Amino acid sequence: MNCIFCSIAKKKASAEIVYEDDQLVAFKDINPKAPVHILIIPKEHIASVNDLTEINEPLLGQMIIRAKALAVKSKIARSGYKLVLNCGRDAGQLVDHLHLHLLGGGPLDGIA
Ligand code: AMP
Ligand code: ZN
């Protein structure tokens, strides 16, 4: 399977990684739509929200808590931010590996 985010998680493709643990990797979006634009992904390949089950509930919690921590670290927690999960073509999902967008650092009208 040729998945760019799996490659990033396995360090076979380069990315500016800002956080990593056993379950997750977070890295800067290559085409940022806001001053802060970080993607939080599971290391496990899960194609989209459509592929989540109850088993993944703790993972989703970890992704959101990590996004919050990265918002604090990026100094946007007080000014505000968006967390976005795009699912499927109509939502504009381009990479078929689950990823949570953390967007902030300026007005986000019309973004995501
Ligand atoms: P989505 O439209 O929700 O699928 O978002 C995919 C995001 O991944 C886009 O914001 C892209 O800019 C970003 N992206 C794609 N390839 C890379 C990459 N190699 N490194 C970092 N971000 C990427
Ligand atoms: Zn993948």
Side-chain angles (χ1 to χ4, degrees):
M1 183 177 48
N2 192 12
C3 171
I4 182 63
F5 287 0
C6 281
S7 298
I8 288 171
K10 291 174 184 155
K11 315 285 170 54
K12 290 178 180 165
S14 66
E16 202 172 333
I17 292 176
V18 295
Y19 177 82
E20 180 174 11
D21 64 24
D22 288 350
Q23 306 286 327
L24 307 177
V25 180
F27 53 91
K28 294 191 179 176
D29 195 292
I30 203 168
N31 181 23
K33 292 169 188 68
V36 175
H37 190 171
I38 293 170
L39 303 174
I40 298 105
I41 68 165
K43 284 187 169 174
E44 177 190 357
H45 182 85
I46 298 169
S48 80
V49 171
N50 281 339
D51 299 283
L52 292 169
T53 69
E54 283 77 5
I55 287 171
N56 302 121
E57 280 179 7
L59 176 70
L60 265 289
Q62 287 173 33
M63 288 172 70
I64 292 172
I65 296 296
R66 185 52 46 193
K68 183 210 72 171
L70 288 167
V72 171
K73 193 176 169 195
S74 305
K75 301 189 177 6
I76 58 169
R78 285 168 70 94
S79 51
Y81 54 91
K82 284 189 184 182
L83 301 180
V84 176
L85 284 170
N86 292 322
C87 181
R89 294 293 168 257
D90 282 357
Q93 184 180 3
L94 297 173
V95 179
D96 289 330
H97 181 129
L98 187 71
H99 50 281
L100 178 63
H101 294 258
L102 165 63
L103 296 144
L108 297 168
D109 304 341
I111 296 176

